[in-house]
Amino acid sequence: MKLTIERTALLTSLNHVQSVVERRNTIPILANVLFDARDGYLGLTATDLDIAINDKVAATISTEGAITAPAHLVYDIIRKLPEGSQVELDYKSAEGRLFLRCGQSEFKLAALPQDDFPVMETSALPHNFSLHASILKRLIDKTRFAISTEETRYYLNGIYFHVAESGGVQVLRAVATDGHRLARVETPMPADADGMPGVIIPRKAINEIRKLLDERDGDIAISLSDTKISFSLGDSLLTSKLIDGTFPDYERVIPSGNDKILELDGKSFAHAVDRVSTVSTEKTRAIKLALSDDMITLSATGSDAGSATEELAASYSSGDMEIGFNSKYLLDITGQIEGENAHFVLADAGSPTIVKDSADDGALYVLMPMRV
C-alpha cells in the first residue's frame, strides 16, 4: 500500500474514528485503525467490537492495499505535522512496517495485517428512515445528561429511542433516566419509522454520533434492527450494537396530579442555583427552594463553608412550600431550557417535579426531590 494525502484531510478523518479506540486494549489489533487504499480513496475503520466507525477521504493512491497501525499514535503524529503538508503512507510487507513520511520527517510504525482486524457485520438492517442532523442533535443534547452511569443497571446506560403516541399523533421519542432525573424529548415521527422497534443506544455510541453531527448539516440515514443501529453521515458510517435489555416503563415516573405552577426566568434561575450551591457540601449538593407568593428563595448550607441565600421574582400563587433538590441535577435540567421561562409543576416536598421549557413543547423533564 502506498499513497499520498493532504494532512488536514487525513487528520479530520482520523479524528472521526480514533476516539472509538480504547486507550487500554488486551487485544492488540483493537488498538489499531485499518487503512484501506483503493479507487482513489483511503478508507479508515476503527472498532471496539461494540461500535465501528468507517470513514473515507480522497487520496492519491500509488499502490492499492490495506494494513492496520496504532490509532492514537498515528493521530498524534499527524496532529503535530505542519498544516497544509502532504503525508505519504507506505507499507512495505517485507519489513512489516508502515512508513509515514512528511517533509524531512519519517516514522516507522508497527503494523498488523488486515486479516486480523475484526469486521462488524453491517448487512442490511430492516428498518430505515432519515432524520435531519439538527433534529437528531436536539434529541441527543436534551436527554444524554440523564443517562445512568451505574453499570449494574445497564439498561439505563443509553438513550431509549422509540415511536409513541402524543396528542393523537405518532412521534419519535428519546428518553433517558438515571433514577434521579428523567428527560423525555419528542419530534414528529419521520416517514418510514413506523413499526421500528424500541431501541436503547449505548452512551458511547451516543457520544460518538454526537461528535460526527457537529460537521453535518443535512439528513442522516438511520438503519436499525433489534440488535444494531447504523448512522450514515456522508463519508462516515457509525454502526453500533444496541443494549440488550428492557427500558423501564418511564410513563409511571411522570406524575399526573401535580397542581402547583411555578414560572420563572430560566437563565436567571440557573445562575442563582449555580451561585448559591457553591457552598453546598460536595457529597449532597443540596439546595432548598422556598416558594411564596411571586417569590422564590434559594438557600444552601455547607458543613464548613457557611451558607447562602438568594431571592428571585417568580410567578407562583399556590401557597407556601419548601422543596429540596440536588443542585447539579437542577442545573443539568435548567441548562436545557431554551425559552425565556422555565415552568415547574410541583405537588409537594416529597413528590417528583415536572420541568417544562416555554420554547419547546416536545421536551419534558422530571426531577426527584431530596431532603434538605
Side-chain angles (χ1 to χ4, degrees):
M1 181 190 84
K2 187 173 182 180
L3 63 96
T4 305
I5 186 170
E6 200 272 324
R7 174 257 184 195
T8 302
L10 179 56
L11 182 65
T12 300
S13 200
L14 277 168
N15 190 43
H16 291 166
V17 303
Q18 59 88 30
S19 55
V20 170
V21 179
E22 297 292 344
R23 287 284 176 182
R24 294 180 180 177
N25 266 303
T26 53
I27 306 172
I29 194 70
L30 293 182
N32 284 13
V33 59
L34 171 64
F35 294 106
D36 188 356
R38 66 188 69 250
D39 302 328
Y41 286 93
L42 174 64
L44 296 88
T45 305
T47 184
D48 65 357
L49 297 182
D50 290 321
I51 305 171
I53 297 186
N54 308 82
D55 205 84
K56 70 174 184 177
V57 58
T60 303
I61 313 293
S62 303
T63 307
E64 292 190 345
I67 193 63
T68 78
H72 296 303
L73 180 58
V74 173
Y75 177 71
D76 286 341
I77 290 170
I78 300 300
R79 190 167 51 86
K80 293 174 182 178
L81 295 177
E83 280 191 36
S85 58
Q86 294 291 312
V87 179
E88 182 182 87
L89 297 179
D90 183 8
Y91 172 64
K92 297 185 183 297
S93 56
E95 298 188 39
R97 298 273 174 179
L98 176 66
F99 289 76
L100 192 159
R101 303 184 187 95
C102 178
Q104 301 304 308
S105 303
E106 180 180 85
F107 301 84
K108 295 179 185 179
L109 306 177
L112 291 171
Q114 174 194 14
D115 293 344
D116 293 351
F117 195 82
V119 177
M120 183 178 283
E121 182 60 45
T122 55
S123 55
L125 301 174
H127 302 278
N128 302 274
F129 59 92
S130 295
L131 205 57
H132 195 275
S134 61
I135 295 174
L136 187 54
K137 276 185 198 176
R138 170 178 167 267
L139 293 174
I140 291 174
D141 288 347
K142 289 180 176 285
T143 54
R144 66 172 169 171
F145 70 88
I147 295 175
S148 174
T149 55
E150 192 180 324
E151 297 303 328
T152 54
R153 304 172 78 188
Y154 66 94
Y155 49 85
L156 298 182
N157 294 162
I159 298 179
Y160 179 45
F161 279 85
H162 62 295
V163 171
E165 189 174 298
S166 178
V169 297
Q170 295 284 91
V171 295
L172 178 64
R173 193 175 276 174
V175 183
T177 183
D178 61 3
H180 303 288
R181 62 259 173 94
L182 178 145
R184 189 196 77 186
V185 183
E186 58 195 30
T187 191
M189 185 185 74
D192 302 322
D194 192 19
M196 66 167 269
V199 296
I200 308 171
I201 307 174
R203 181 196 313 111
K204 184 175 177 180
I206 288 290
N207 291 336
E208 292 299 330
I209 192 65
R210 182 59 186 85
K211 281 189 282 189
L212 293 174
L213 285 170
D214 279 333
E215 299 175 20
R216 183 73 177 169
D217 183 22
D219 284 346
I220 311 300
I222 300 173
S223 302
L224 58 89
S225 67
D226 291 324
T227 57
K228 282 182 187 163
I229 189 166
S230 72
F231 299 86
S232 180
L233 309 87
D235 290 330
S236 302
L237 175 70
L238 182 147
T239 304
S240 173
K241 292 180 181 177
L242 297 167
I243 292 177
D244 182 14
T246 303
F247 201 80
D249 182 6
Y250 63 87
E251 294 285 6
R252 293 172 54 192
V253 180
I254 303 173
S256 56
N258 291 16
D259 57 356
K260 297 178 173 63
I261 309 296
L262 166 68
E263 188 175 329
L264 39 68
D265 182 289
K267 287 184 173 55
S268 298
F269 177 67
H271 292 320
V273 170
D274 196 22
R275 284 190 291 268
V276 171
S277 65
T278 308
V279 302
S280 63
T281 58
E282 191 68 28
K283 186 177 180 182
T284 64
R285 299 177 179 271
I287 188 168
K288 182 166 71 175
L289 311 183
L291 311 181
S292 56
D293 284 351
D294 293 335
M295 180 67 70
I296 178 171
T297 304
L298 297 82
S299 60
T301 305
S303 53
D304 301 316
S307 61
T309 61
E310 184 167 338
E311 291 184 345
L312 274 180
S315 173
Y316 177 79
S317 58
S318 300
D320 292 358
M321 184 176 116
E322 290 187 348
I323 188 167
F325 294 111
N326 178 305
S327 59
K328 180 185 181 302
Y329 296 162
L330 199 53
L331 284 171
D332 283 342
I333 289 177
T334 53
Q336 310 309 316
I337 305 297
E338 294 178 353
E340 272 192 30
N341 294 330
H343 298 268
F344 288 74
V345 189
L346 309 102
D348 53 57
S351 301
T353 293
I354 293 174
V355 185
K356 295 181 178 179
D357 185 347
S358 62
D360 190 348
D361 291 337
L364 179 144
Y365 309 96
V366 179
L367 182 58
M368 297 297 294
M370 65 184 295
R371 288 183 180 173
V372 179

